């Protein structure tokens, strides 16, 4: 006798669709419409997109990548938190030129409301710089980050990252010492949320 076939589950029918919204830094705009099977499994999922996906109009915004993590899900809506920002590999390659110096600097900074971010700054010069000049530029970048980020909320900080406010501040300070070709935040990564930071301090 032929074995009776069991009913094949239609996995897509079991899924439900939710809209994921950006944080206040981007006015809670809808980011994506995705299928999920389980709230618990979906929470924590990371979405990758470009700045152009959020701010339409400027094609150059394709070169900046953003990552959002699903936070809380309620019925067919989900909130998200800003997780990471970085230059695309293609954009990074296009910036590097022969005969110039590349200066990088990594620093951790905490926002006014307790979120900790790891920030990687990149600067590219018109010509080769000696070690002492490079060190001087790193100190300037460090000073700007340590003065500005602790005065910002997470939403203000994310806006300052994405709309180049921090880049402009560092560039203006660099110009007093030497003219550089490019300054930017190559990578910004959320290390700890305010909730986790509070839990650590209370432990």
């Amino acid at each position: 006798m032929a074995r009776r076939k069991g009913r094949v589950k239609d996995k897509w029918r079991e899924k439900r669709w939710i809209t994921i919204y950006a944080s206040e830094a981007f006015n809670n705009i809808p980011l994506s419409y995705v299928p999920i099977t389980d709230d618990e499994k979906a929470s924590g999922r990371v979405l990758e997109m470009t700045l152009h996906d959020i701010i339409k109009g400027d094609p150059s915004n394709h070169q900046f990548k953003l990552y959002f993590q699903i936070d809380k899900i309620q019925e067919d809506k989900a909130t998200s938190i800003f997780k990471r920002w970085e230059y695309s590999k293609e954009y990074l390659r296009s910036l590097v030129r022969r005969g110039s110096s590349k200066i990088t600097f990594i620093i951790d900074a905490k926002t006014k409301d307790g979120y900790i971010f790891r920030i990687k700054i990149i600067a590219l010069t018109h010509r080769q710089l000696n070690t002492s000049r490079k060190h001087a530029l790193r100190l300037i970048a460090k000073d700007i980050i340590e003065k500005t980020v602790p005065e910002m909320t997470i939403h203000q900080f994310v806006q300052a990252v994405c709309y180049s406010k921090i880049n402009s501040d560092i560039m203006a300070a660099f110009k007093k010492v030497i003219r550089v070709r490019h300054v930017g935040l190559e990578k910004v990564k959320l290390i700890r949320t305010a909730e986790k930071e509070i839990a650590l301090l209370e432990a």
Side-chain angles (χ1 to χ4, degrees):
M1 274 180 73
R3 219 182 254 177
R4 200 172 162 188
K5 286 184 180 176
R7 186 178 288 177
V8 178
K9 279 189 176 182
D10 186 343
K11 288 184 179 178
W12 278 99
R13 281 197 166 185
E14 291 176 7
K15 292 179 185 288
R16 78 175 202 276
W17 289 79
I18 60 166
T19 303
I20 301 160
Y21 292 87
S23 61
E24 281 178 43
F26 300 102
N27 299 317
N28 306 110
I29 63 163
L31 293 173
S32 189
Y33 188 54
V34 298
I36 66 166
T37 49
D38 180 271
D39 287 11
E40 205 172 307
K41 284 179 184 173
S43 185
R45 190 193 296 178
V46 175
L47 302 175
E48 178 189 329
M49 51 190 49
T50 69
L51 187 59
H52 183 266
D53 294 328
I54 297 168
I55 307 166
K56 314 290 183 192
D58 186 352
S60 69
N61 284 332
H62 278 298
Q63 59 210 13
F64 306 116
K65 292 162 78 176
L66 290 94
Y67 298 82
F68 294 89
Q69 188 173 45
I70 297 174
D71 186 25
K72 292 169 187 164
I73 300 168
Q74 194 168 16
E75 295 176 358
D76 62 345
K77 293 176 182 176
T79 57
S80 68
I81 57 173
F82 173 85
K83 189 75 178 169
R84 200 161 92 239
W85 153 280
E86 63 186 26
Y87 284 4
S88 70
K89 288 189 176 93
E90 297 78 16
Y91 180 53
L92 206 50
R93 276 197 297 268
S94 75
L95 291 172
V96 180
R97 290 177 195 165
R98 281 183 185 175
S100 70
S101 286
K102 183 173 90 165
I103 301 136
T104 56
F105 173 68
I106 296 171
I107 185 171
D108 289 357
K110 187 196 279 193
T111 62
K112 186 162 64 174
D113 43 2
Y115 289 81
I116 297 177
F117 287 90
R118 182 155 294 155
I119 303 162
K120 184 180 181 183
I121 297 157
I122 183 171
L124 296 140
T125 62
H126 291 278
R127 55 189 173 78
Q128 287 283 352
L129 295 186
N130 61 31
T131 306
S132 63
R133 278 286 177 93
K134 289 178 183 178
H135 182 64
L137 293 181
R138 287 189 183 101
L139 287 177
I140 291 168
K142 181 176 183 283
D143 186 55
I144 297 288
I145 295 294
E146 288 180 343
K147 279 180 179 173
T148 58
V149 177
E151 297 297 316
M152 300 175 183
T153 64
I154 182 175
H155 302 310
Q156 290 167 335
F157 172 71
V158 170
Q159 287 177 342
V161 169
C162 297
Y163 300 115
S164 302
K165 170 73 173 67
I166 296 173
N167 302 6
S168 302
D169 290 347
I170 297 171
M171 177 68 95
F174 277 5
K175 277 182 179 174
K176 293 172 185 175
V177 178
I178 190 167
R179 200 160 60 91
V180 296
R181 186 162 50 82
H182 176 87
V183 175
L185 305 183
E186 183 187 330
K187 196 175 284 187
V188 175
K189 184 180 178 183
L190 178 64
I191 299 296
R192 249 190 330 271
T193 61
E195 291 82 2
K196 285 183 180 175
E197 179 67 4
I198 290 163
L200 276 174
L201 292 171
E202 289 176 349

Coordinates of all heavy atoms in Angstrom, one line a residue, residues 32-61:
S32 N 10.8 49.2 6.5 CA 10.7 48.0 5.7 C 9.4 47.2 6.1 O 8.9 47.5 7.2 CB 11.9 47.1 5.9 OG 11.9 46.0 5.0
Y33 N 8.9 46.4 5.2 CA 7.7 45.6 5.4 C 8.2 44.2 5.3 O 8.5 43.7 4.2 CB 6.7 46.0 4.4 CG 5.3 45.4 4.6 CD1 4.6 45.5 5.8 CD2 4.7 44.6 3.5 CE1 3.3 45.0 5.9 CE2 3.4 44.1 3.7 CZ 2.8 44.3 4.9 OH 1.5 43.7 5.1
V34 N 8.2 43.4 6.4 CA 8.9 42.1 6.3 C 8.0 41.0 6.9 O 7.1 41.3 7.8 CB 10.2 42.1 7.1 CG1 11.2 43.0 6.5 CG2 10.0 42.4 8.6
P35 N 8.1 39.7 6.5 CA 7.4 38.6 7.0 C 8.1 38.0 8.2 O 9.3 37.9 8.2 CB 7.3 37.6 5.9 CG 8.6 37.9 5.1 CD 9.0 39.3 5.3
I36 N 7.3 37.7 9.3 CA 7.9 37.0 10.4 C 7.0 35.9 10.8 O 5.8 35.8 10.5 CB 8.1 38.0 11.6 CG1 6.7 38.5 12.2 CG2 8.9 39.2 11.3 CD1 6.8 39.1 13.6
T37 N 7.5 34.9 11.5 CA 6.7 33.8 12.0 C 6.6 33.9 13.5 O 5.6 33.4 14.1 CB 7.4 32.4 11.7 OG1 8.8 32.5 12.1 CG2 7.4 32.1 10.3
D38 N 7.5 34.5 14.2 CA 7.5 34.5 15.7 C 8.1 35.9 16.2 O 9.2 36.3 15.7 CB 8.3 33.4 16.1 CG 8.4 33.3 17.6 OD1 9.3 33.9 18.2 OD2 7.5 32.6 18.2
D39 N 7.4 36.5 17.1 CA 7.9 37.8 17.6 C 9.2 37.7 18.2 O 10.1 38.6 18.0 CB 6.9 38.4 18.6 CG 5.6 38.9 18.0 OD1 5.4 38.6 16.7 OD2 4.8 39.6 18.6
E40 N 9.4 36.7 19.0 CA 10.7 36.5 19.8 C 11.9 36.3 18.8 O 12.9 36.9 19.1 CB 10.5 35.3 20.7 CG 11.5 35.4 21.9 CD 11.2 34.3 22.9 OE1 10.0 34.2 23.4 OE2 12.1 33.6 23.3
K41 N 11.6 35.5 17.8 CA 12.7 35.2 16.8 C 13.0 36.5 16.0 O 14.2 36.7 15.6 CB 12.4 34.1 15.9 CG 12.5 32.7 16.6 CD 12.1 31.6 15.7 CE 12.2 30.2 16.4 NZ 11.6 29.2 15.5
A42 N 12.0 37.2 15.7 CA 12.2 38.4 14.9 C 12.8 39.6 15.6 O 13.6 40.3 15.0 CB 10.8 38.9 14.3
S43 N 12.6 39.6 16.9 CA 13.2 40.7 17.7 C 14.7 40.5 17.7 O 15.2 39.4 18.0 CB 12.6 40.6 19.1 OG 13.1 41.7 19.9
G44 N 15.4 41.6 17.4 CA 16.9 41.4 17.3 C 17.4 41.3 15.9 O 18.6 41.5 15.7
R45 N 16.5 41.0 15.0 CA 16.9 40.9 13.6 C 17.4 42.3 13.1 O 16.9 43.3 13.4 CB 15.7 40.5 12.7 CG 16.1 40.1 11.3 CD 15.0 40.0 10.3 NE 14.0 38.9 10.7 CZ 12.9 38.6 10.0 NH1 12.6 39.4 9.0 NH2 12.1 37.6 10.4
V46 N 18.5 42.3 12.3 CA 19.1 43.5 11.8 C 18.8 43.8 10.3 O 18.9 42.9 9.5 CB 20.6 43.5 12.0 CG1 21.3 44.7 11.4 CG2 20.9 43.4 13.5
L47 N 18.4 45.0 10.0 CA 18.1 45.4 8.7 C 19.2 46.2 8.1 O 19.7 47.1 8.8 CB 16.8 46.2 8.6 CG 15.5 45.7 9.1 CD1 14.4 46.7 9.1 CD2 15.1 44.5 8.3
E48 N 19.6 46.0 6.9 CA 20.6 46.8 6.3 C 20.0 47.7 5.2 O 19.2 47.2 4.4 CB 21.7 45.9 5.7 CG 22.8 46.7 4.9 CD 23.8 45.8 4.1 OE1 24.0 44.6 4.6 OE2 24.3 46.2 3.1
M49 N 20.4 48.9 5.1 CA 19.9 49.8 4.1 C 20.9 50.9 3.8 O 21.9 51.0 4.6 CB 18.5 50.4 4.4 CG 18.3 51.0 5.7 SD 16.6 51.3 6.0 CE 15.8 49.8 5.6
T50 N 20.6 51.8 2.9 CA 21.5 52.9 2.6 C 20.8 54.2 3.1 O 19.6 54.2 3.3 CB 21.9 53.1 1.1 OG1 20.7 53.5 0.4 CG2 22.4 51.8 0.6
L51 N 21.6 55.2 3.3 CA 21.1 56.5 3.7 C 20.1 57.0 2.6 O 19.1 57.7 2.9 CB 22.2 57.5 3.9 CG 21.8 58.9 4.5 CD1 21.1 58.8 5.8 CD2 23.0 59.8 4.6
H52 N 20.4 56.6 1.3 CA 19.5 57.1 0.2 C 18.1 56.4 0.4 O 17.1 57.0 0.0 CB 20.1 56.6 -1.1 CG 19.2 57.1 -2.3 ND1 18.3 56.3 -2.9 CD2 19.2 58.3 -2.9 CE1 17.7 56.9 -3.9 NE2 18.3 58.2 -3.9
D53 N 18.0 55.2 1.0 CA 16.7 54.6 1.2 C 15.8 55.4 2.2 O 14.6 55.4 2.1 CB 16.9 53.2 1.8 CG 17.5 52.2 0.9 OD1 17.3 52.4 -0.4 OD2 18.3 51.4 1.3
I54 N 16.5 56.2 3.0 CA 15.8 57.0 4.0 C 15.6 58.5 3.6 O 14.6 59.0 3.7 CB 16.6 57.0 5.4 CG1 16.6 55.5 5.9 CG2 15.9 57.9 6.4 CD1 17.5 55.3 7.0
I55 N 16.8 59.0 3.1 CA 16.7 60.4 2.6 C 16.8 60.3 1.0 O 17.9 60.1 0.5 CB 17.9 61.2 3.1 CG1 17.9 61.1 4.6 CG2 17.8 62.7 2.7 CD1 19.2 61.6 5.2
K56 N 15.7 60.4 0.4 CA 15.7 60.3 -1.1 C 16.2 61.6 -1.7 O 16.3 62.6 -1.0 CB 14.2 60.1 -1.6 CG 13.4 59.1 -0.8 CD 13.9 57.7 -1.1 CE 13.0 56.7 -0.4 NZ 13.5 55.4 -0.3
G57 N 16.6 61.5 -2.9 CA 17.0 62.7 -3.6 C 18.5 62.8 -4.0 O 18.8 63.2 -5.1
D58 N 19.4 62.5 -3.0 CA 20.8 62.6 -3.3 C 21.4 61.3 -3.6 O 21.5 60.5 -2.7 CB 21.5 63.3 -2.1 CG 23.0 63.6 -2.4 OD1 23.5 63.1 -3.4 OD2 23.6 64.2 -1.5
P59 N 21.7 61.0 -4.9 CA 22.3 59.6 -5.2 C 23.5 59.3 -4.4 O 23.8 58.1 -4.2 CB 22.5 59.7 -6.7 CG 21.8 60.9 -7.2 CD 21.7 61.8 -6.0
S60 N 24.3 60.3 -4.0 CA 25.6 60.0 -3.3 C 25.3 59.3 -2.0 O 26.2 58.7 -1.4 CB 26.4 61.3 -3.1 OG 25.7 62.1 -2.2
N61 N 24.1 59.4 -1.5 CA 23.8 58.8 -0.2 C 23.8 57.2 -0.2 O 23.7 56.6 0.8 CB 22.4 59.3 0.4 CG 22.6 60.7 1.0 OD1 23.6 61.1 1.4 ND2 21.5 61.5 0.9

